[in-house]
C-alpha cells in the first residue's frame, strides 16, 4: 500500500459573479425546482412569531418568521391556502408582518445581509413575484441594520422600522418606506430612508439635554390617521434604557410638533425600560407598551402620550402604568386596543417553575380592568412547559388571540406553536382548537431524497425516505421531463416500500430494461429493492422485490452499481463488534435475481480495512473492464484519509492498483472524507468529499484524481488534489458527476445547496454560477444536495428542502457550453458612475444577431429584463455597445446579457455585479471571523490606497500600499496575527474608511 502526504492549502473566495450556466431551468417544475412529499404528517418543532387577523376572522400564524400558516376561525388549518395550509417559504429570519387589504402579507426581517429585507406573499400563499425582485426587496443603510416592525399605509405604501449601527457602534432608529411594488419610495426623506439619533434627548423629569444618547432601537411602528408615522422602542440615557418614541411627517422629516423635536423618552424610575409595541387610540393619543426592570424585577409597563408628545396625565395620573403579575419575571411584548378602547398587553411571566402566557387589560384611564379575569390579569399554561407569548391580535368581536411558543422538556425537548384565544372577559374560548389552546399543531410531510437517476427517455427518478407515521420507508418518485409527477409510475408517480423497520433509500440505478434498482438501509442492514418500469415491486427479484443482507454487527449501505451482466454491487461499511470499534469497507454482490453471488469472494461478501484502521466506504463504480472501485475514508494516524480500493471481478483486491489494491491520501493537516466517486472516460478516478480542519471549525469541498494505477494525477489541481470553500465555515461535498465534456461537478451543502464546477484540470470553471460555484436556496433551512447527475447538457440535483415541512427536492440547472449563437462576445463590464451603472460590452463578430436583452437580478438566480439594445446584426469587426441602469437596486446588482438571434435562439453572457450603497465609495471587509486571509473590496472605485491593520491598543501592525480595482477583492494575509479583534483602516486621496474584523 502507498500512502501520500501533501502539504497544501487552497482558498477560494466568492465575491464577483460570472456565469453562462448554472441558471435554474424555467421549463422544469417551479423555477427549476420540484418538491415532493409522501407518507404521513410529521410534527415539527416550530414557533408562532406573530398572529394576524384577516377578513372573515381568518387567522394567519407567522411561523419562525419564514412561512405563514392560515387557519380557519376555529383554529383548524385552511388547506386551500398555499401548500396544505402553509405559504411559500421565504429565505428570511426574525420577520414581522402586516396584512394588506387585498389579503397579501408583507414581511420584513433579515436575510443574513445586515440590511432590511422585505418580501410579500400573495393572498393564496404563493410568493408575489410582482414585488421587488421575485417577491423580495432589500434596503441597505450606511451601517449594519435590522428590521423589527412593518405597517401598511392607506395608500398601499409600506413602512418598515428597525435600527442601524454605524462604524462607531452608535445605534439609531431606522425607517424605510417602499412603494406598493417594493421599490424604494424616494419621496420619503429624499432617499426612502430616515435615521433618528436620540442623543441629547432626556426625559422631561430629568430637565435637560446634557447627556448624549447614542444607542436607540426601534421595535414598533404605527401610522396615524393624518399619515404621520410613529416609531417606538427604547434609548440609552447614559445609565439606563428608557422608552423612546419618534414621530415623522409623511415625507419622512422629523415632526417638530411632537415634543418640539419629533422625539420623546420616558423613564419609569431607576430602571431599564424597554418599549416593544405601539397603538394609537381613536382620539389620537399614543400608547407604548413593554416592560420595566428594577432591582431584578421585571413588570409590564405602559405609557400614554398626548398628540403633542407630552405625557398624558389623565392616564393613571402621570401617563404611566405598571402591572404586577406576581413574579419577578414579567415581559410585555405586544399591545392592542379593543373596540371599546380597553388596552390589552400580552407577554409572559414566571410561575415559579416555568414561564406562562400573561395578559393584562387596562381601562381607558389606565386602571386595571377588574372585569377581565377579576383583577385585569391572567396567565395561561400549556402542559407544564415554558410558554412565551410574543404577539397579540384582537378580533372584531373583541376576542383576544395570543401567539408564541412552548418549550417542552419531556419526554424529549421540543419547541411547539402555542396559540390561545380568549373571550372578552378573559376566559379561554372553547370554540377555538382544544379548549381555547392550539399547541404543537405544525404537522407536515417529511420526505427526503438522497439519489437521482435519468432514464433513457429523459424521465427523472428519485429515491430517499418518507415518514409513515411511526418510522421511515423507502420513497421513490418518477417525474416527466417537465418536472410533473409521472402517473404511469405507481398510478401517482410515487411509491413507498416498507422493509419492516426504519428504512432509507440511499442510491438508485436504472437497468437497461428499464427496471429500477434502489439500495439503502433497513435498520442496521443493507436493503435492496427492485421495481418494474411501472413502479410495481419486481417479484422476480428475491420473490417479493426486496432483499436484506447482513454484513456484520451493524451495516450502512452507501451506494450501488450495476454490472453489464446485470449483477448488482452494493457498497458501504460495517461494524463487526458490539462496541463499534472495528469498521470495514463492506461490499456485496447480488445476482440479477437478488441472491448473493457466491462467485464474488466465495460468499458474495467482501470486507476490507486499511492498516487495521476504521474504514468507511461511501461510493462504488464499475470500470469498463468490469473491475470494481470503492471510495470512502479511513482513519489513519489520527486523521481521516481519502481511501480507495479496487477489486477484481471475483472480489479479490486488484494488486495492479497501488500495489495492493488500496490507496490512502492526506493532503495536509486536515481530515479528508471521501463521499462520492466517478470514473472518467479515460479511466481516471475522481474521489470527492470534504476536508475538515482538525479543530472542527471549518470544512471545504475537496476532490482528488487518480490514474488508473492508483497514483495521484499530478496534472489535476495541485498534485492531484483540489479544495474549495464556497464562502461559509462548513462546506460538505456529497456527490460528484462528470459531464460528457470532462468537466467535474461536486455538490453538497454549506447551509444552502451548493454546486461547484471544475474544468478538466481541476481549476474552477468561472462560466458556471459565481466563479464556478452555484449556491441555491431550495429550502428555508437544512436544505442540501445529496446527489447530482448530468443528462443532455443539464445538471440534475436531488436533495432535501424545508418549506417549512421537509420535502424531497429535485432541481435542474441549464448547463450551457457557450457559443451556441454565431456571435463572439469579447467582454461585458459594469461600472458604477454617480450611482448609475454603466454597462459596456463588445462583440468581435456577429451573424444574424437580433439584439441584446439586458437582465438584472438581486441574487444571481432570478433575472428580469430592464433594457433592450438592437444589434448590428452582421459584422466581422469589433462593435462596442453600452447602456445604463439609471435606477439600480440597493445592495448587489447582478447583470447579464441575453443575446437573441433572428431565429429566436438565445445565449447568455457571463454575469457581472455592482454593489450600490448610499455612498459612491464604500468598503466591504470579509469574512469575519477570518483565519488566514481577509478580503477587502470597494464598490466600483479604481484607485490607489493605503491600508493599515491596527490592534486594540492602537498599534499599527501592518501597512501596505495597494491599487483597488473596482469590485475585485484584494487579499490581506493575516495568518501571523494573534487571535482577537482588529481594525482595518483604508486611506484614499479623498477619504478614510474603517472596518472591524475578528481574527480566529
Amino acid at each position: 500500500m502507498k500512502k501520500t502526504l501533501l502539504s497544501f492549502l487552497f482558498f477560494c473566495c466568492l465575491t464577483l459573479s460570472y456565469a453562462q450556466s448554472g441558471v435554474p431551468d424555467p421549463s422544469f417544475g417551479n423555477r427549476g425546482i420540484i418538491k415532493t412529499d409522501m407518507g404521513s404528517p410529521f410534527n415539527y418543532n416550530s414557533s408562532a412569531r406573530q398572529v394576524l387577523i384577516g377578513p372573515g376572522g381568518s387567522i394567519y400564524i407567522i411561523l419562525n418568521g419564514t412561512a405563514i400558516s392560515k387557519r380557519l376561525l376555529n383554529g383548524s388549518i385552511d388547506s386551500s391556502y398555499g401548500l396544505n395550509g402553509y405559504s411559500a417559504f421565504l429565505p428570511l429570519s426574525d420577520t414581522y408582518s402586516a396584512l394588506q387589504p387585498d389579503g397579501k402579507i408583507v414581511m420584513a426581517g433579515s436575510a443574513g445581509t445586515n440590511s432590511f429585507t422585505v418580501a410579500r406573499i400573495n393572498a393564496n400563499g404563493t410568493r408575489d413575484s410582482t414585488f421587488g425582485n421575485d417577491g423580495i426587496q432589500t434596503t441597505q443603510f450606511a451601517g449594519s441594520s435590522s428590521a423589527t416592525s412593518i405597517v401598511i399605509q392607506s395608500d398601499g405604501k409600506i413602512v418598515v422600522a428597525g435600527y442601524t449601527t454605524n462604524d462607531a457602534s452608535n445605534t439609531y432608529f431606522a425607517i424605510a418606506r417602499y412603494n406598493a411594488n417594493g421599490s424604494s419610495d424616494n419621496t420619503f426623506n429624499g432617499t426612502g430612508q430616515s435615521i433618528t439619533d436620540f442623543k441629547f434627548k432626556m426625559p422631561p423629569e430629568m430637565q435637560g439635554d446634557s447627556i448624549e444618547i447614542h444607542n436607540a432601537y426601534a421595535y414598533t411602528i404605527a401610522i396615524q390617521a393624518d399619515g404621520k408615522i410613529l416609531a417606538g422602542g427604547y434609548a440609552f440615557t447614559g445609565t439606563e434604557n428608557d422608552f423612546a418614541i419618534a414621530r415623522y411627517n409623511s415625507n419622512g422629516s422629523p415632526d417638530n410638533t411632537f415634543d418640539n423635536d419629533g422625539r420623546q423618552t420616558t423613564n419609569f424610575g431607576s430602571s431599564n425600560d424597554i418599549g416593544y409595541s405601539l397603538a394609537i387610540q381613536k382620539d389620537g393619543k399614543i400608547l407604548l407598551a413593554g416592560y420595566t426592570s428594577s432591582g431584578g424585577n421585571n413588570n409590564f409597563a405602559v405609557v400614554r402620550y398626548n398628540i403633542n408628545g407630552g405625557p398624558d396625565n389623565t392616564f393613571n395620573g402621570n401617563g404611566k402604568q405598571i402591572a404586577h403579575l406576581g413574579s419577578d419575571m414579567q415581559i410585555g411584548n405586544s399591545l392592542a386596543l379593543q373596540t371599546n378602547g380597553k388596552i390589552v398587553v400580552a407577554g409572559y411571566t414566571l410561575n415559579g417553575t416555568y414561564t406562562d402566557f400573561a395578559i393584562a387589560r387596562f381601562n381607558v384611564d389606565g386602571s386595571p380592568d377588574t372585569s377581565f379575569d377579576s383583577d385585569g390579569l391572567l396567565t395561561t399554561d400549556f402542559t407544564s412547559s415554558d410558554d412565551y407569548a410574543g404577539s397579540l391580535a384582537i378580533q372584531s368581536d373583541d376576542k383576544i388571540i395570543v401567539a408564541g411558543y412552548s418549550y417542552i422538556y419531556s419526554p424529549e425537548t421540543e419547541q411547539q406553536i402555542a396559540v390561545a384565544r380568549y373571550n372578552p372577559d378573559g376566559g379561554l374560548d372553547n370554540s377555538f382548537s382544544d379548549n381555547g389552546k392550539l399547541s404543537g399543531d405544525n404537522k407536515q410531510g417529511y420526505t427526503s431524497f438522497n439519489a437521482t437517476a435519468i432514464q433513457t427517455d429523459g424521465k427523472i427518478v428519485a429515491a430517499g425516505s418518507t415518514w409513515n407515521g411511526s418510522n421511515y420507508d423507502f420513497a421513490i418518485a418518477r417525474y416527466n421531463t417537465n418536472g410533473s409527477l409521472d402517473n404511469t409510475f405507481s398510478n401517482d408517480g410515487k411509491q413507498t416500500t416498507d422493509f419492516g423497520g426504519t428504512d432509507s433509500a440511499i442510491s438508485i440505478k436504472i437497468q437497461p430494461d428499464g427496471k429500477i434498482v434502489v439500495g439503502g438501509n433497513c435498520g442496521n442492514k443493507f436493503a435492496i429493492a427492485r421495481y418494474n418500469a411501472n413502479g410495481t415491486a419486481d417479484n422476480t427479484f428475491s420473490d417479493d422485490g426486496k432483499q436484506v443482507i447482513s454484513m456484520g454487527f451493524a451495516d450502512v449501505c452507501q451506494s450501488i452499481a450495476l454490472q453489464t451482466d446485470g449483477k448488482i454491487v452494493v457498497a458501504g461499511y460495517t461494524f463487526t463488534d458490539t462496541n463499534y470499534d472495528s469498521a470495514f469497507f463492506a461490499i456485496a454482490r447480488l445476482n440479477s435475481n437478488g441472491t448473493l453471488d457466491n462467485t464474488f469472494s466465495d460468499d458474495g461478501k467482501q470486507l476490507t480495512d486499511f492498516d487495521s484502521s476504521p474504514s468507511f466506504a461511501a461510493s462504488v463504480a464499475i470500470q469498463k473492464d468490469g473491475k470494481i472501485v470503492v471510495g470512502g475514508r479511513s482513519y489513519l494516524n489520527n486523521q481521516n484519509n481519502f481511501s480507495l480500493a479496487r477489486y477484481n471481478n471475483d472480489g479479490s483486491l486488484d494488486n495492479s492498483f497501488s500495489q495492493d489494491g488500496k490507496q490512502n491520501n492526506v493532503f495536509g493537516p486536515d481530515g479528508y472524507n471521501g463521499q462520492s466517486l466517478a470514473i472518467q472516460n479515460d479511466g481516471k478516478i475522481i474521489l470527492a468529499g470534504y476536508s475538515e480542519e482538525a479543530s472542527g471549525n471549518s470544512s471545504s469541498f475537496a476532490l482528488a484524481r487518480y490514474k488508473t494505477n492508483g497514483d495521484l494525477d499530478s496534472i489535476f489541481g495541485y498534485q492531484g488534489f483540489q479544495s474549495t470553500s464556497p464562502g461559509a465555515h462548513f462546506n460538505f461535498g456529497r456527490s460528484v458527476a462528470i459531464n460528457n465534456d470532462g468537466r467535474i461537478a461536486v455538490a453538497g451543502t454549506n447551509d444552502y445547496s451548493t454546486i461547484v464546477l471544475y474544468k478538466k484540470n481541476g481549476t474552477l470553471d468561472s462560466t458556471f454560477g459565481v466563479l464556478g460555484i452555484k449556491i441555491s436556496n431550495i429550502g428555508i433551512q437544512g436544505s442540501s444536495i445529496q446527489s447530482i447527475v448530468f443528462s443532455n447538457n443539464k445538471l440534475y440535483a436531488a436533495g432535501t428542502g424545508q418549506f417549512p415541512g421537509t420535502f424531497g427536492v429535485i432541481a435542474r440547472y441549464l448547463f450551457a457550453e457557450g457559443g451556441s449563437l454565431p456571435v463572439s462576445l469579447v467582454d461585458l463590464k459594469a461600472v458604477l458612475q454617480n450611482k448609475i451603472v454603466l454597462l459596456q460590452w463588445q462583440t468581435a463578430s456577429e451573424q444574424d444577431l437580433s439584439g441584446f436583452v439586458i437582465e438584472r437580478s438581486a441574487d444571481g438566480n432570478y433575472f428580469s429584463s430592464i433594457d433592450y439594445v438592437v444589434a448590428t446584426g452582421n459584422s466581422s469587426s469589433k462593435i462596442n455597445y453600452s447602456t445604463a441602469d439609471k435606477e439600480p437596486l440597493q445592495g448587489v446588482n447582478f447583470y447579464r446579457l441575453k443575446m437573441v438571434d433572428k431565429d429566436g435562439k438565445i445565449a447568455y453572457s457571463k454575469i457581472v455585479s455592482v454593489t450600490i450603497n448610499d455612498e459612491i465609495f464604500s468598503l466591504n471587509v470579509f469574512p469575519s471571523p477570518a483565519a488566514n486571509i481577509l478580503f477587502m473590496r470597494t464598490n466600483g472605485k479604481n484607485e490607489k490606497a493605503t491600508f493599515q491593520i491596527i490592534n486594540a491598543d492602537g498599534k499599527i501592525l501592518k501597512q501596505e500600499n495597494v491599487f483597488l480595482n473596482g469590485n475585485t477583492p484584494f487579499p490581506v494575509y493575516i495568518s501571523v496575527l494573534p487571535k482577537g479583534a482588529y481594525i482595518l483602516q483604508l486611506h484614499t486621496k479623498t477619504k478614510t474608511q474603517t472596518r472591524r474584523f475578528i481574527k480566529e
Side-chain angles (χ1 to χ4, degrees):
M1 184 194 305
K2 293 184 296 186
K3 183 175 176 68
T4 305
L5 172 63
L6 300 176
S7 296
F8 175 73
L9 173 66
F10 180 88
F11 184 92
C12 176
C13 172
L14 303 180
T15 52
L16 297 182
S17 180
Y18 301 92
Q20 285 181 320
S21 56
V23 178
D25 183 356
S27 67
F28 184 75
N30 183 9
R31 300 178 183 271
I33 294 177
I34 54 176
K35 55 187 179 182
T36 300
D37 176 41
M38 56 185 86
S40 301
F42 183 89
N43 194 32
Y44 282 83
N45 285 350
S46 190
S47 66
R49 185 170 187 86
Q50 190 179 4
V51 62
L52 302 172
I53 306 299
S58 56
I59 301 165
Y60 297 90
I61 301 172
I62 315 302
L63 299 174
N64 295 344
T66 53
I68 303 164
S69 173
K70 186 179 180 183
R71 305 293 174 129
L72 302 174
L73 191 61
N74 64 0
S76 62
I77 292 174
D78 181 356
S79 59
S80 67
Y81 181 77
L83 180 63
N84 300 325
Y86 295 87
S87 75
F89 88 97
L90 291 168
L92 306 179
S93 61
D94 300 326
T95 56
Y96 299 81
S97 304
L99 182 65
Q100 295 186 171
D102 60 2
K104 293 182 179 182
I105 294 177
V106 186
M107 307 172 77
S110 170
T113 57
N114 293 322
S115 59
F116 282 18
T117 303
V118 185
R120 190 162 66 195
I121 294 291
N122 289 314
N124 63 1
T126 60
R127 186 189 292 195
D128 183 5
S129 60
T130 68
F131 181 84
N133 189 321
D134 191 41
I136 295 178
Q137 180 65 284
T138 299
T139 296
Q140 182 69 56
F141 286 81
S144 173
S145 54
S146 296
T148 59
S149 187
I150 186 170
V151 69
I152 311 296
Q153 293 187 171
S154 59
D155 60 1
K157 291 184 178 181
I158 301 156
V159 188
V160 178
Y163 52 88
T164 185
T165 303
N166 67 10
D167 292 336
S169 298
N170 294 324
T171 305
Y172 312 98
F173 275 26
I175 313 294
R177 190 166 72 190
Y178 305 85
N179 295 309
N181 65 359
S183 61
S184 180
D185 177 16
N186 292 332
T187 68
F188 183 78
N189 202 37
T191 61
Q193 303 175 7
S194 181
I195 294 174
T196 300
D197 184 3
F198 274 76
K199 70 177 181 178
F200 301 117
K201 185 65 184 177
M202 302 296 297
E205 61 267 27
M206 297 185 71
Q207 298 181 1
D209 289 341
S210 59
I211 299 176
E212 294 188 5
I213 302 172
H214 285 290
N215 289 319
Y217 299 81
Y219 277 98
T220 178
I221 193 165
I223 307 294
Q224 294 186 170
D226 59 2
K228 291 183 177 181
I229 300 164
L230 287 162
Y234 66 92
F236 185 63
T237 63
T239 58
E240 59 195 24
N241 293 311
D242 289 334
F243 275 26
I245 188 169
R247 191 164 71 192
Y248 308 85
N249 296 309
S250 59
N251 64 3
S253 62
D255 177 16
N256 292 331
T257 68
F258 186 80
D259 202 51
N260 299 319
D261 60 358
R263 300 170 299 169
Q264 177 63 286
T265 59
T266 299
N267 181 275
F268 280 80
S270 179
S271 59
N272 270 316
D273 310 317
I274 309 296
Y276 276 140
S277 186
L278 272 170
I280 301 172
Q281 296 185 169
K282 293 178 181 179
D283 60 3
K285 292 183 178 181
I286 303 155
L287 290 154
L288 178 60
Y291 71 93
T292 179
S293 177
S294 179
N297 294 317
N298 296 338
N299 296 105
F300 282 18
V302 184
V303 62
R304 188 163 73 192
Y305 303 95
N306 292 310
I307 297 174
N308 65 1
D312 177 17
N313 293 331
T314 67
F315 184 79
N316 199 41
N318 60 0
K320 297 179 284 189
Q321 178 61 285
I322 295 173
H324 301 277
L325 285 94
S327 80
D328 58 2
M329 174 60 71
Q330 303 161 51
I331 305 295
N333 284 322
S334 188
L335 165 72
L337 298 175
Q338 294 186 296
T339 56
N340 58 7
K342 292 186 177 182
I343 302 154
V344 184
V345 180
Y348 58 90
T349 185
L350 186 67
N351 65 18
T353 303
Y354 300 107
T355 55
D356 292 334
F357 277 21
I359 304 174
R361 190 165 75 186
F362 305 94
N363 295 309
V364 176
D365 63 2
S367 61
D369 179 12
T370 56
S371 69
F372 184 76
D373 201 46
S374 74
D375 60 357
L377 307 171
L378 67 81
T379 61
T380 301
D381 177 46
F382 288 77
T383 62
S384 297
S385 59
D386 274 327
D387 310 316
Y388 300 90
S391 180
L392 165 70
I394 307 294
Q395 294 185 173
S396 58
D397 58 3
D398 272 344
K399 289 184 178 181
I400 302 163
I401 297 183
V402 179
Y405 65 94
S406 295
Y407 201 77
I408 300 170
Y409 304 95
S410 180
E412 59 184 28
T413 301
E414 62 179 313
Q415 186 172 296
Q416 295 184 348
I417 291 172
V419 183
R421 188 165 69 193
Y422 304 88
N423 294 311
D425 64 359
L428 283 164
D429 177 11
N430 293 332
S431 68
F432 178 78
S433 191
D434 182 15
N435 296 321
K437 296 186 286 188
L438 171 66
S439 179
D441 189 7
N442 187 22
K443 292 182 172 63
Q444 301 167 69
Y446 193 111
T447 299
S448 60
F449 284 160
N450 296 313
T452 189
I454 311 300
Q455 297 185 167
T456 55
D457 59 3
K459 291 183 178 180
I460 305 107
V461 187
S465 62
T466 192
W467 179 252
N468 65 19
S470 58
N471 53 36
Y472 294 91
D473 293 333
F474 273 26
I476 319 296
R478 190 166 72 192
Y479 305 90
N480 298 307
T481 55
N482 64 359
S484 61
L485 283 163
D486 176 15
N487 292 332
T488 67
F489 181 83
S490 192
N491 296 323
D492 59 358
K494 298 180 286 187
Q495 176 66 283
T496 62
T497 298
D498 184 7
F499 283 82
T502 295
D503 314 319
S504 178
I506 302 297
S507 185
I508 187 169
K509 292 292 184 288
I510 310 296
Q511 293 187 170
D513 61 1
K515 290 184 178 181
I516 301 163
V517 183
V518 178
N521 299 283
C522 170
N524 58 3
K525 293 180 174 60
F526 285 8
I528 303 95
R530 191 165 71 191
Y531 305 86
N532 295 309
N534 64 1
T536 59
D538 177 15
N539 293 332
T540 67
F541 181 82
S542 190
D543 296 331
D544 60 356
K546 300 183 289 186
Q547 179 63 283
V548 175
I549 301 170
S550 177
M551 302 291 293
F553 171 72
D555 316 319
V556 179
C557 173
Q558 295 283 66
S559 182
I560 63 171
L562 299 180
Q563 295 187 171
T564 55
D565 60 2
K567 292 181 179 181
I568 302 163
V569 180
V570 186
Y573 56 91
T574 185
F575 294 95
T576 59
D577 65 291
T578 57
N579 293 323
Y580 295 89
D581 292 326
S582 299
F584 294 80
F585 276 25
I587 301 94
R589 190 165 71 191
L590 307 179
N591 296 307
S592 60
N593 64 1
T595 60
L596 282 166
D597 177 16
N598 293 333
T599 69
F600 182 82
S601 190
D602 295 332
D603 61 355
K605 305 176 186 179
Q606 175 67 282
L607 303 183
T608 302
D609 71 346
F610 293 76
D611 290 347
S612 300
S613 68
S615 306
F616 305 86
S619 186
V620 61
I622 310 297
Q623 292 186 171
K624 292 178 181 178
D625 60 3
K627 291 183 178 181
I628 301 164
V629 184
V630 178
R633 65 181 173 92
S634 58
Y635 192 76
L636 284 167
N637 300 321
N638 297 315
Q639 68 182 120
N640 282 316
N641 291 228
F642 268 21
S643 298
L644 286 170
R646 190 165 72 191
Y647 303 87
N648 296 308
N649 190 53
D650 63 1
S652 61
L653 283 164
D654 176 16
N655 292 333
S656 70
F657 182 81
S658 190
Q659 300 176 8
D660 61 355
K662 297 183 285 188
Q663 174 68 290
N664 283 318
N665 298 102
V666 293
F667 310 93
D670 299 339
Y672 299 89
N673 297 267
Q675 296 287 305
S676 179
L677 66 82
I679 300 175
Q680 296 183 170
N681 288 331
D682 60 3
K684 291 181 178 179
I685 302 163
I686 300 287
L687 179 60
Y690 59 92
S691 59
E692 188 171 22
E693 283 189 356
S695 64
N697 291 328
S698 67
S699 56
S700 303
F701 279 23
L703 69 163
R705 188 165 72 190
Y706 299 84
K707 298 176 183 179
T708 55
N709 66 357
D711 291 340
L712 282 164
D713 183 6
S714 61
I715 66 173
F716 180 83
Y718 181 81
Q719 299 183 28
F721 176 75
Q722 180 64 289
S723 175
T724 302
S725 294
H729 280 292
F730 297 101
N731 306 276
F732 300 100
R734 301 296 187 191
S735 181
V736 64
I738 302 172
N739 194 35
N740 54 18
D741 61 5
R743 287 183 286 179
I744 303 158
V746 179
T749 181
N750 69 340
D751 296 331
Y752 299 103
S753 300
T754 304
I755 304 169
V756 181
L757 184 68
Y758 301 91
K759 297 178 182 178
K760 296 177 184 179
N761 64 1
T763 60
L764 285 166
D765 183 352
S766 62
T767 68
F768 179 82
V770 179
L771 288 179
I773 299 172
K774 178 71 178 179
I775 299 177
S776 299
N777 297 330
I778 65 169
I780 300 169
Q781 57 187 357
S783 62
S784 65
I785 293 176
Q786 298 293 333
S787 173
I788 55 173
V789 63
F790 284 107
S791 179
N792 293 324
N793 217 33
K794 293 181 174 67
L795 180 64
Y796 293 82
T800 302
Q802 293 186 3
F803 298 91
T806 299
F807 293 80
V809 175
I810 305 288
R812 186 166 77 190
Y813 301 93
L814 299 174
F815 198 72
E817 295 177 309
S820 61
L821 296 183
V823 56
S824 177
L825 185 67
V826 176
D827 199 10
L828 170 64
K829 296 179 180 179
V831 180
L832 183 63
Q833 294 183 349
N834 297 322
K835 295 191 178 182
I836 293 175
V837 177
L838 179 64
L839 296 158
Q840 301 170 316
W841 65 99
Q842 185 184 75
T843 60
S845 62
E846 301 175 11
Q847 182 179 339
D848 292 330
L849 187 64
S850 177
F852 304 89
V853 179
I854 294 85
E855 296 185 337
R856 183 181 69 192
S857 170
D859 62 3
N861 284 324
Y862 304 115
F863 286 81
S864 57
S865 173
I866 61 170
D867 200 1
Y868 180 80
V869 174
V870 177
T872 298
N874 293 283
S875 174
S876 58
S877 59
K878 291 183 179 180
I879 300 175
N880 294 312
Y881 296 92
S882 66
T883 189
D885 181 5
K886 296 181 179 180
E887 296 183 355
L889 305 171
Q890 285 290 313
V892 181
N893 292 254
F894 297 91
Y895 299 93
R896 72 181 182 192
L897 301 176
K898 182 167 74 174
M899 298 169 283
V900 186
D901 74 3
K902 293 181 180 179
D903 293 330
K905 295 179 180 177
I906 64 171
Y908 289 95
S909 73
K910 70 181 183 182
I911 296 174
V912 294
S913 65
V914 169
T915 302
I916 307 297
N917 290 324
D918 289 336
E919 299 177 276
I920 297 174
F921 174 86
S922 71
L923 172 66
N924 184 22
V925 173
F926 60 95
S928 180
N932 298 303
I933 305 175
L934 187 74
F935 289 85
M936 58 182 178
R937 182 180 64 189
T938 58
N939 65 326
K941 295 287 286 186
N942 298 340
E943 59 182 314
K944 294 179 180 179
T946 299
F947 77 84
Q948 298 172 330
I949 293 180
I950 304 168
N951 66 10
D953 297 326
K955 183 180 179 180
I956 298 174
L957 303 181
K958 184 180 180 72
Q959 180 170 310
E960 187 176 337
N961 296 324
V962 297
F963 182 80
L964 300 174
N965 182 16
N967 277 300
T968 303
F970 186 89
V972 179
Y973 298 93
I974 60 171
S975 58
V976 298
L977 296 178
K979 294 181 179 180
Y982 296 89
I983 291 173
L984 186 146
Q985 203 166 75
L986 184 70
H987 307 273
T988 68
K989 179 185 287 188
T990 58
K991 70 186 306 180
T992 295
Q993 293 251 341
T994 300
R995 297 290 183 267
R996 290 180 172 86
F997 71 91
I998 302 295
K999 165 67 167 62
E1000 63 179 8

